[in-house]
Amino acid sequence: MGANRQKSVDFRGRYTPEVAGAAVSGAEDPADSRSHNLLLRRRASLMQEPVLVLNATYEPINVTAVRRAMVLMLKGVAQAEELHNSEVHSASHAHRVPSVIRLLAYRHIPQQSRALSRKNILLRDRNTCQFCGRVFPSSELTLDHVVPRSRGGRSSWENLVACCYRCNNGKGDRTPEEAGLKLARRPRPFTLHTSRQLMRLIGHRDERWRKYLFY
Ligand SMILES: [Zn+2]
């Protein structure tokens, strides 16, 4: 990747069109290539922007990325309720980018709909080590069994917490009490309530989300 990257950067340190152009079909006017190139980069990040997903009843249920939201719209599964100020262009059309979409058919969301996974535990604990209270990038966190597995501790929402490597090593095969550590809070399953708190956290950036999240 390193060598590739070198080759694709022009003398001003910007990406040359050849790279970005690979994703584009059709002949391009070379004079437009630089601005077009910038446009494509903007578009790539735009496609990752968060979109609030509402149930058919306008109840907020999830956050997804623009790319996924537009697929749901194209499939006729969802429609846009609020639009972003930006557009993306396909060969023949300009599409307004959604900021909030709504599912057209009601979907039953079980109270505990999140799968027990490393990603979701880190999300629940907001990337905060539950022993020292510091925030880490995901790569610097591990999952700790509060009651160690060797002592019969299960892999469950109530027994797994985000933990930095330092605290994890310090704790070893002991319970928090034995290791003199204290949990920041009691670990709980990921509920819709937790999801909504996270949606609010993300949604603070987007005015268009407010009326669906703060009521
Ligand atoms: Zn820690």
Side-chain angles (χ1 to χ4, degrees), residues 44-83:
S45 67
L46 184 63
M47 295 306 264
Q48 298 307 317
E49 284 286 305
V51 174
L52 182 64
V53 183
L54 307 175
N55 213 335
T57 50
Y58 289 90
E59 181 190 18
I61 50 173
N62 200 5
V63 175
T64 191
V66 164
R67 183 184 303 279
R68 170 90 184 128
M70 292 186 84
V71 169
L72 292 175
M73 285 163 62
L74 284 170
K75 281 185 174 171
V77 174
Q79 71 178 33
E81 289 294 329
E82 305 284 334
L83 292 166

mmCIF file of all heavy atoms in Angstrom, residues 44-83:
data_model
loop_
_atom_site.group_PDB
_atom_site.id
_atom_site.type_symbol
_atom_site.label_atom_id
_atom_site.label_comp_id
_atom_site.label_asym_id
_atom_site.label_seq_id
_atom_site.Cartn_x
_atom_site.Cartn_y
_atom_site.Cartn_z
ATOM 1 N N ALA A 44 -16.574 9.953 -0.826
ATOM 2 C CA ALA A 44 -16.250 8.737 -0.075
ATOM 3 C C ALA A 44 -16.509 8.942 1.414
ATOM 4 O O ALA A 44 -17.068 8.084 2.078
ATOM 5 C CB ALA A 44 -14.801 8.344 -0.321
ATOM 6 N N SER A 45 -16.119 10.119 1.946
ATOM 7 C CA SER A 45 -16.336 10.336 3.375
ATOM 8 C C SER A 45 -17.811 10.600 3.653
ATOM 9 O O SER A 45 -18.329 10.229 4.697
ATOM 10 C CB SER A 45 -15.465 11.471 3.889
ATOM 11 O OG SER A 45 -15.866 12.684 3.323
ATOM 12 N N LEU A 46 -18.470 11.224 2.691
ATOM 13 C CA LEU A 46 -19.903 11.482 2.834
ATOM 14 C C LEU A 46 -20.674 10.171 2.979
ATOM 15 O O LEU A 46 -21.610 10.072 3.767
ATOM 16 C CB LEU A 46 -20.399 12.251 1.603
ATOM 17 C CG LEU A 46 -21.852 12.714 1.594
ATOM 18 C CD1 LEU A 46 -22.103 13.700 2.720
ATOM 19 C CD2 LEU A 46 -22.205 13.344 0.262
ATOM 20 N N MET A 47 -20.259 9.154 2.232
ATOM 21 C CA MET A 47 -20.949 7.874 2.264
ATOM 22 C C MET A 47 -20.837 7.189 3.621
ATOM 23 O O MET A 47 -21.567 6.268 3.916
ATOM 24 C CB MET A 47 -20.417 6.940 1.165
ATOM 25 C CG MET A 47 -20.700 7.422 -0.251
ATOM 26 S SD MET A 47 -22.446 7.776 -0.556
ATOM 27 C CE MET A 47 -22.965 6.237 -1.286
ATOM 28 N N GLN A 48 -19.878 7.650 4.439
ATOM 29 C CA GLN A 48 -19.690 7.056 5.768
ATOM 30 C C GLN A 48 -20.416 7.851 6.856
ATOM 31 O O GLN A 48 -20.440 7.450 8.010
ATOM 32 C CB GLN A 48 -18.198 7.007 6.125
ATOM 33 C CG GLN A 48 -17.358 6.143 5.201
ATOM 34 C CD GLN A 48 -17.920 4.743 5.067
ATOM 35 O OE1 GLN A 48 -18.335 4.149 6.050
ATOM 36 N NE2 GLN A 48 -17.960 4.228 3.850
ATOM 37 N N GLU A 49 -20.997 8.984 6.475
ATOM 38 C CA GLU A 49 -21.684 9.820 7.471
ATOM 39 C C GLU A 49 -22.822 9.043 8.135
ATOM 40 O O GLU A 49 -23.480 8.238 7.479
ATOM 41 C CB GLU A 49 -22.268 11.062 6.783
ATOM 42 C CG GLU A 49 -21.256 12.114 6.447
ATOM 43 C CD GLU A 49 -20.781 12.871 7.666
ATOM 44 O OE1 GLU A 49 -21.627 13.406 8.394
ATOM 45 O OE2 GLU A 49 -19.569 12.900 7.897
ATOM 46 N N PRO A 50 -23.072 9.301 9.427
ATOM 47 C CA PRO A 50 -24.155 8.571 10.096
ATOM 48 C C PRO A 50 -25.542 9.045 9.667
ATOM 49 O O PRO A 50 -25.751 10.231 9.425
ATOM 50 C CB PRO A 50 -23.913 8.862 11.575
ATOM 51 C CG PRO A 50 -23.132 10.114 11.611
ATOM 52 C CD PRO A 50 -22.344 10.185 10.340
ATOM 53 N N VAL A 51 -26.442 8.091 9.542
ATOM 54 C CA VAL A 51 -27.842 8.369 9.224
ATOM 55 C C VAL A 51 -28.700 7.737 10.311
ATOM 56 O O VAL A 51 -28.492 6.581 10.681
ATOM 57 C CB VAL A 51 -28.220 7.764 7.846
ATOM 58 C CG1 VAL A 51 -29.711 7.925 7.567
ATOM 59 C CG2 VAL A 51 -27.409 8.406 6.732
ATOM 60 N N LEU A 52 -29.643 8.499 10.824
ATOM 61 C CA LEU A 52 -30.543 7.974 11.848
ATOM 62 C C LEU A 52 -31.629 7.145 11.168
ATOM 63 O O LEU A 52 -32.216 7.581 10.182
ATOM 64 C CB LEU A 52 -31.165 9.135 12.624
ATOM 65 C CG LEU A 52 -32.106 8.773 13.775
ATOM 66 C CD1 LEU A 52 -31.357 8.037 14.888
ATOM 67 C CD2 LEU A 52 -32.757 10.028 14.339
ATOM 68 N N VAL A 53 -31.887 5.951 11.699
ATOM 69 C CA VAL A 53 -32.933 5.082 11.140
ATOM 70 C C VAL A 53 -34.133 5.073 12.082
ATOM 71 O O VAL A 53 -33.983 4.778 13.272
ATOM 72 C CB VAL A 53 -32.421 3.635 10.948
ATOM 73 C CG1 VAL A 53 -33.500 2.772 10.289
ATOM 74 C CG2 VAL A 53 -31.141 3.617 10.125
ATOM 75 N N LEU A 54 -35.295 5.421 11.538
ATOM 76 C CA LEU A 54 -36.522 5.403 12.337
ATOM 77 C C LEU A 54 -37.358 4.201 11.929
ATOM 78 O O LEU A 54 -37.339 3.787 10.769
ATOM 79 C CB LEU A 54 -37.350 6.668 12.068
ATOM 80 C CG LEU A 54 -36.668 8.015 12.223
ATOM 81 C CD1 LEU A 54 -37.636 9.118 11.779
ATOM 82 C CD2 LEU A 54 -36.244 8.248 13.668
ATOM 83 N N ASN A 55 -38.095 3.665 12.894
ATOM 84 C CA ASN A 55 -39.069 2.636 12.565
ATOM 85 C C ASN A 55 -40.231 3.305 11.814
ATOM 86 O O ASN A 55 -40.291 4.532 11.733
ATOM 87 C CB ASN A 55 -39.570 1.976 13.858
ATOM 88 C CG ASN A 55 -39.885 0.509 13.650
ATOM 89 O OD1 ASN A 55 -40.174 0.081 12.528
ATOM 90 N ND2 ASN A 55 -39.821 -0.261 14.718
ATOM 91 N N ALA A 56 -41.144 2.511 11.296
ATOM 92 C CA ALA A 56 -42.286 3.078 10.572
ATOM 93 C C ALA A 56 -43.067 4.039 11.457
ATOM 94 O O ALA A 56 -43.719 4.964 10.973
ATOM 95 C CB ALA A 56 -43.186 1.950 10.076
ATOM 96 N N THR A 57 -42.979 3.824 12.781
ATOM 97 C CA THR A 57 -43.695 4.649 13.763
ATOM 98 C C THR A 57 -42.914 5.899 14.178
ATOM 99 O O THR A 57 -43.289 6.552 15.136
ATOM 100 C CB THR A 57 -43.937 3.808 15.026
ATOM 101 O OG1 THR A 57 -42.671 3.216 15.393
ATOM 102 C CG2 THR A 57 -44.937 2.707 14.784
ATOM 103 N N TYR A 58 -41.822 6.181 13.492
ATOM 104 C CA TYR A 58 -40.940 7.332 13.774
ATOM 105 C C TYR A 58 -40.099 7.143 15.025
ATOM 106 O O TYR A 58 -39.443 8.070 15.487
ATOM 107 C CB TYR A 58 -41.726 8.654 13.872
ATOM 108 C CG TYR A 58 -42.253 9.113 12.540
ATOM 109 C CD1 TYR A 58 -43.508 8.713 12.108
ATOM 110 C CD2 TYR A 58 -41.474 9.911 11.695
ATOM 111 C CE1 TYR A 58 -43.991 9.098 10.864
ATOM 112 C CE2 TYR A 58 -41.946 10.305 10.458
ATOM 113 C CZ TYR A 58 -43.209 9.896 10.041
ATOM 114 O OH TYR A 58 -43.666 10.278 8.822
ATOM 115 N N GLU A 59 -40.105 5.958 15.578
ATOM 116 C CA GLU A 59 -39.283 5.680 16.748
ATOM 117 C C GLU A 59 -37.853 5.422 16.292
ATOM 118 O O GLU A 59 -37.623 4.606 15.405
ATOM 119 C CB GLU A 59 -39.845 4.434 17.436
ATOM 120 C CG GLU A 59 -39.122 4.032 18.681
ATOM 121 C CD GLU A 59 -39.596 2.650 19.153
ATOM 122 O OE1 GLU A 59 -40.192 1.902 18.361
ATOM 123 O OE2 GLU A 59 -39.342 2.339 20.305
ATOM 124 N N PRO A 60 -36.869 6.139 16.858
ATOM 125 C CA PRO A 60 -35.481 5.908 16.419
ATOM 126 C C PRO A 60 -34.999 4.523 16.844
ATOM 127 O O PRO A 60 -35.189 4.125 17.988
ATOM 128 C CB PRO A 60 -34.689 7.000 17.140
ATOM 129 C CG PRO A 60 -35.543 7.451 18.256
ATOM 130 C CD PRO A 60 -36.968 7.173 17.890
ATOM 131 N N ILE A 61 -34.438 3.771 15.911
ATOM 132 C CA ILE A 61 -34.027 2.411 16.263
ATOM 133 C C ILE A 61 -32.564 2.122 15.968
ATOM 134 O O ILE A 61 -32.023 1.156 16.472
ATOM 135 C CB ILE A 61 -34.897 1.334 15.561
ATOM 136 C CG1 ILE A 61 -34.991 1.599 14.054
ATOM 137 C CG2 ILE A 61 -36.253 1.241 16.212
ATOM 138 C CD1 ILE A 61 -35.688 0.470 13.295
ATOM 139 N N ASN A 62 -31.920 2.930 15.154
ATOM 140 C CA ASN A 62 -30.564 2.549 14.787
ATOM 141 C C ASN A 62 -29.839 3.734 14.149
ATOM 142 O O ASN A 62 -30.452 4.737 13.805
ATOM 143 C CB ASN A 62 -30.633 1.392 13.790
ATOM 144 C CG ASN A 62 -29.340 0.607 13.709
ATOM 145 O OD1 ASN A 62 -28.402 0.854 14.450
ATOM 146 N ND2 ASN A 62 -29.289 -0.328 12.781
ATOM 147 N N VAL A 63 -28.552 3.565 13.999
ATOM 148 C CA VAL A 63 -27.755 4.512 13.231
ATOM 149 C C VAL A 63 -27.013 3.710 12.186
ATOM 150 O O VAL A 63 -26.457 2.662 12.482
ATOM 151 C CB VAL A 63 -26.743 5.268 14.117
ATOM 152 C CG1 VAL A 63 -25.840 6.161 13.277
ATOM 153 C CG2 VAL A 63 -27.469 6.085 15.172
ATOM 154 N N THR A 64 -27.043 4.171 10.938
ATOM 155 C CA THR A 64 -26.325 3.467 9.888
ATOM 156 C C THR A 64 -25.503 4.479 9.102
ATOM 157 O O THR A 64 -25.478 5.657 9.435
ATOM 158 C CB THR A 64 -27.305 2.673 8.992
ATOM 159 O OG1 THR A 64 -26.570 1.807 8.134
ATOM 160 C CG2 THR A 64 -28.176 3.595 8.159
ATOM 161 N N ALA A 65 -24.813 4.032 8.057
ATOM 162 C CA ALA A 65 -24.032 4.943 7.234
ATOM 163 C C ALA A 65 -24.844 5.328 5.994
ATOM 164 O O ALA A 65 -25.746 4.605 5.590
ATOM 165 C CB ALA A 65 -22.729 4.283 6.811
ATOM 166 N N VAL A 66 -24.500 6.480 5.401
ATOM 167 C CA VAL A 66 -25.204 6.974 4.218
ATOM 168 C C VAL A 66 -25.309 5.888 3.149
ATOM 169 O O VAL A 66 -26.364 5.679 2.556
ATOM 170 C CB VAL A 66 -24.502 8.227 3.643
ATOM 171 C CG1 VAL A 66 -24.950 8.531 2.228
ATOM 172 C CG2 VAL A 66 -24.748 9.430 4.549
ATOM 173 N N ARG A 67 -24.194 5.183 2.932
ATOM 174 C CA ARG A 67 -24.177 4.166 1.875
ATOM 175 C C ARG A 67 -25.302 3.131 2.075
ATOM 176 O O ARG A 67 -26.085 2.864 1.178
ATOM 177 C CB ARG A 67 -22.821 3.449 1.866
ATOM 178 C CG ARG A 67 -22.638 2.427 0.779
ATOM 179 C CD ARG A 67 -21.301 1.719 0.940
ATOM 180 N NE ARG A 67 -20.169 2.640 0.944
ATOM 181 C CZ ARG A 67 -19.615 3.145 -0.157
ATOM 182 N NH1 ARG A 67 -20.082 2.818 -1.335
ATOM 183 N NH2 ARG A 67 -18.596 3.972 -0.069
ATOM 184 N N ARG A 68 -25.384 2.610 3.294
ATOM 185 C CA ARG A 68 -26.383 1.596 3.621
ATOM 186 C C ARG A 68 -27.799 2.193 3.541
ATOM 187 O O ARG A 68 -28.729 1.564 3.025
ATOM 188 C CB ARG A 68 -26.100 1.044 5.019
ATOM 189 C CG ARG A 68 -27.160 0.174 5.601
ATOM 190 C CD ARG A 68 -26.958 -1.284 5.263
ATOM 191 N NE ARG A 68 -28.071 -2.094 5.762
ATOM 192 C CZ ARG A 68 -28.764 -2.946 5.030
ATOM 193 N NH1 ARG A 68 -28.455 -3.130 3.756
ATOM 194 N NH2 ARG A 68 -29.752 -3.626 5.544
ATOM 195 N N ALA A 69 -27.935 3.417 4.030
ATOM 196 C CA ALA A 69 -29.238 4.075 4.019
ATOM 197 C C ALA A 69 -29.746 4.231 2.595
ATOM 198 O O ALA A 69 -30.927 4.028 2.312
ATOM 199 C CB ALA A 69 -29.142 5.431 4.708
ATOM 200 N N MET A 70 -28.839 4.570 1.670
ATOM 201 C CA MET A 70 -29.259 4.774 0.281
ATOM 202 C C MET A 70 -29.637 3.452 -0.380
ATOM 203 O O MET A 70 -30.528 3.409 -1.224
ATOM 204 C CB MET A 70 -28.170 5.512 -0.490
ATOM 205 C CG MET A 70 -28.054 6.958 0.025
ATOM 206 S SD MET A 70 -26.920 7.999 -0.900
ATOM 207 C CE MET A 70 -27.965 8.539 -2.248
ATOM 208 N N VAL A 71 -28.979 2.379 0.039
ATOM 209 C CA VAL A 71 -29.359 1.058 -0.469
ATOM 210 C C VAL A 71 -30.777 0.720 -0.007
ATOM 211 O O VAL A 71 -31.602 0.270 -0.794
ATOM 212 C CB VAL A 71 -28.353 -0.035 0.001
ATOM 213 C CG1 VAL A 71 -28.883 -1.429 -0.287
ATOM 214 C CG2 VAL A 71 -27.003 0.162 -0.673
ATOM 215 N N LEU A 72 -31.062 0.989 1.273
ATOM 216 C CA LEU A 72 -32.407 0.720 1.800
ATOM 217 C C LEU A 72 -33.460 1.537 1.049
ATOM 218 O O LEU A 72 -34.558 1.066 0.778
ATOM 219 C CB LEU A 72 -32.473 1.027 3.303
ATOM 220 C CG LEU A 72 -31.657 0.103 4.218
ATOM 221 C CD1 LEU A 72 -31.711 0.583 5.664
ATOM 222 C CD2 LEU A 72 -32.171 -1.338 4.131
ATOM 223 N N MET A 73 -33.096 2.777 0.686
ATOM 224 C CA MET A 73 -34.032 3.627 -0.051
ATOM 225 C C MET A 73 -34.237 3.095 -1.470
ATOM 226 O O MET A 73 -35.367 3.045 -1.963
ATOM 227 C CB MET A 73 -33.518 5.067 -0.094
ATOM 228 C CG MET A 73 -33.686 5.805 1.235
ATOM 229 S SD MET A 73 -32.657 7.293 1.331
ATOM 230 C CE MET A 73 -33.324 8.242 -0.031
ATOM 231 N N LEU A 74 -33.145 2.692 -2.112
ATOM 232 C CA LEU A 74 -33.249 2.179 -3.479
ATOM 233 C C LEU A 74 -34.071 0.893 -3.532
ATOM 234 O O LEU A 74 -34.791 0.636 -4.494
ATOM 235 C CB LEU A 74 -31.852 1.929 -4.070
ATOM 236 C CG LEU A 74 -31.097 3.179 -4.506
ATOM 237 C CD1 LEU A 74 -29.648 2.870 -4.838
ATOM 238 C CD2 LEU A 74 -31.801 3.826 -5.706
ATOM 239 N N LYS A 75 -33.956 0.100 -2.456
ATOM 240 C CA LYS A 75 -34.714 -1.152 -2.390
ATOM 241 C C LYS A 75 -36.189 -0.907 -2.056
ATOM 242 O O LYS A 75 -36.982 -1.837 -2.035
ATOM 243 C CB LYS A 75 -34.132 -2.065 -1.306
ATOM 244 C CG LYS A 75 -32.873 -2.814 -1.720
ATOM 245 C CD LYS A 75 -32.485 -3.753 -0.591
ATOM 246 C CE LYS A 75 -31.338 -4.657 -0.943
ATOM 247 N NZ LYS A 75 -30.883 -5.375 0.273
ATOM 248 N N GLY A 76 -36.492 0.323 -1.703
ATOM 249 C CA GLY A 76 -37.870 0.635 -1.352
ATOM 250 C C GLY A 76 -38.234 0.195 0.061
ATOM 251 O O GLY A 76 -39.402 0.074 0.398
ATOM 252 N N VAL A 77 -37.225 -0.045 0.880
ATOM 253 C CA VAL A 77 -37.458 -0.484 2.256
ATOM 254 C C VAL A 77 -37.645 0.733 3.170
ATOM 255 O O VAL A 77 -38.354 0.687 4.160
ATOM 256 C CB VAL A 77 -36.262 -1.341 2.753
ATOM 257 C CG1 VAL A 77 -36.395 -1.684 4.225
ATOM 258 C CG2 VAL A 77 -36.158 -2.615 1.922
ATOM 259 N N ALA A 78 -36.995 1.836 2.780
ATOM 260 C CA ALA A 78 -37.033 3.032 3.615
ATOM 261 C C ALA A 78 -37.169 4.271 2.745
ATOM 262 O O ALA A 78 -36.876 4.228 1.546
ATOM 263 C CB ALA A 78 -35.759 3.126 4.450
ATOM 264 N N GLN A 79 -37.615 5.349 3.370
ATOM 265 C CA GLN A 79 -37.644 6.618 2.643
ATOM 266 C C GLN A 79 -36.959 7.696 3.471
ATOM 267 O O GLN A 79 -36.883 7.598 4.694
ATOM 268 C CB GLN A 79 -39.086 7.018 2.321
ATOM 269 C CG GLN A 79 -39.881 7.459 3.543
ATOM 270 C CD GLN A 79 -41.293 7.884 3.164
ATOM 271 O OE1 GLN A 79 -41.880 7.344 2.234
ATOM 272 N NE2 GLN A 79 -41.827 8.850 3.896
ATOM 273 N N ALA A 80 -36.475 8.723 2.787
ATOM 274 C CA ALA A 80 -35.777 9.799 3.489
ATOM 275 C C ALA A 80 -36.788 10.669 4.218
ATOM 276 O O ALA A 80 -37.832 11.022 3.673
ATOM 277 C CB ALA A 80 -34.977 10.625 2.494
ATOM 278 N N GLU A 81 -36.495 11.010 5.464
ATOM 279 C CA GLU A 81 -37.343 11.930 6.218
ATOM 280 C C GLU A 81 -36.667 13.291 6.321
ATOM 281 O O GLU A 81 -37.331 14.322 6.341
ATOM 282 C CB GLU A 81 -37.605 11.381 7.625
ATOM 283 C CG GLU A 81 -38.525 10.175 7.661
ATOM 284 C CD GLU A 81 -39.955 10.506 7.222
ATOM 285 O OE1 GLU A 81 -40.407 11.642 7.445
ATOM 286 O OE2 GLU A 81 -40.603 9.610 6.635
ATOM 287 N N GLU A 82 -35.347 13.277 6.431
ATOM 288 C CA GLU A 82 -34.567 14.514 6.484
ATOM 289 C C GLU A 82 -33.406 14.360 5.525
ATOM 290 O O GLU A 82 -32.846 13.270 5.395
ATOM 291 C CB GLU A 82 -34.010 14.754 7.890
ATOM 292 C CG GLU A 82 -35.048 14.775 9.003
ATOM 293 C CD GLU A 82 -35.861 16.064 9.039
ATOM 294 O OE1 GLU A 82 -35.337 17.102 8.567
ATOM 295 O OE2 GLU A 82 -37.003 16.026 9.520
ATOM 296 N N LEU A 83 -33.048 15.448 4.868
ATOM 297 C CA LEU A 83 -31.973 15.369 3.889
ATOM 298 C C LEU A 83 -30.767 16.171 4.338
ATOM 299 O O LEU A 83 -30.878 17.189 5.011
ATOM 300 C CB LEU A 83 -32.465 15.883 2.531
ATOM 301 C CG LEU A 83 -33.505 14.998 1.848
ATOM 302 C CD1 LEU A 83 -34.170 15.754 0.705
ATOM 303 C CD2 LEU A 83 -32.876 13.704 1.341
#
